[in-house]
């Protein structure tokens, strides 16, 4: 028979593993990939709205997992799109999470990619060049 000191508890009682989360829910390590991506988009939208708030007041920003493409679609998967405002609905800029994550490696690169996607969509919407929307825009070699 085992002897136990009064007041001590075993951590892995009945072989079920740890009893609680290893990190608090607000810690970055406990966020899912989708939550981290949403945070990156939210931060970039906030940054751009500081300069273009009035022009973007009627624009809705969204994140979706993947684009809805027809079965016979042949071409590169879009990373984002702008849907026009129809029947009182606002213009909607959508960033597609999974294709964007597939092209970026690491949070820093993903953040730059999201920034460039948002800047390009906003520039197209406003009829401006991406460099005039955000001077830090990195124009890709097309």
């Amino acid at each position: 028979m085992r002897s136990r000191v009064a007041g001590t508890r075993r951590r892995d009682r009945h072989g079920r593993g740890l009893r609680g989360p290893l990190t608090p829910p607000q810690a970055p390590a406990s966020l899912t990939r989708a939550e981290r991506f949403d945070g990156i988009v939210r931060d970039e939208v906030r940054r751009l709205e500081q300069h273009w708030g009035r022009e973007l007041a009627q624009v809705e920003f969204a994140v979706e997992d993947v684009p809805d493409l027809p079965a016979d679609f042949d071409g590169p998967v879009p990373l984002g799109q702008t849907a026009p405002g129809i029947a009182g609905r606002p213009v909607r800029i959508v960033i597609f999470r999974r294709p964007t994550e597939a092209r970026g490696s690491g949070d820093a690169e993903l953040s730059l990619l999201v920034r460039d996607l948002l800047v390009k969509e906003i520039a197209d919407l406003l009829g401006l060049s991406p460099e005039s929307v955000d001077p830090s825009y990195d124009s890709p070699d097309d």
Side-chain angles (χ1 to χ4, degrees), residues 64-129:
E64 292 181 9
D65 280 340
V66 293
D68 187 23
L69 299 173
D72 62 345
F73 182 80
D74 185 30
V77 176
L79 304 180
Q81 73 179 23
T82 300
I86 300 172
R89 297 174 76 185
V91 173
R92 189 168 193 244
I93 295 178
V94 180
I95 302 296
F96 299 114
R97 180 179 67 85
R98 293 183 61 196
T100 305
E101 284 179 334
R103 301 233 177 106
S105 61
D107 285 347
E109 187 176 332
L110 195 58
S111 182
L112 292 174
L113 183 57
V114 167
R115 180 202 64 196
D116 287 350
L117 286 168
L118 286 169
V119 167
K120 185 172 180 330
E121 294 294 332
I122 290 169
D124 288 345
L125 179 67
L126 299 177
L128 301 170
S129 71

Side-chain angles (χ1 to χ4, degrees), residues 27-48:
S30 66
L31 298 176
T32 65
R33 283 178 28 191
E35 290 169 336
R36 282 196 310 271
F37 189 83
D38 289 348
I40 290 171
V41 172
R42 191 178 315 111
D43 291 345
E44 288 302 323
V45 167
R46 250 189 238 128
R47 187 182 68 79
L48 290 165

Side-chain angles (χ1 to χ4, degrees), residues 47-66:
R47 187 182 68 79
L48 290 165
E49 282 180 335
Q50 289 177 349
H51 302 288
W52 299 95
R54 189 171 40 120
E55 291 83 353
L56 300 176
Q58 300 299 317
V59 177
E60 179 181 280
F61 294 89
V63 173
E64 292 181 9
D65 280 340
V66 293

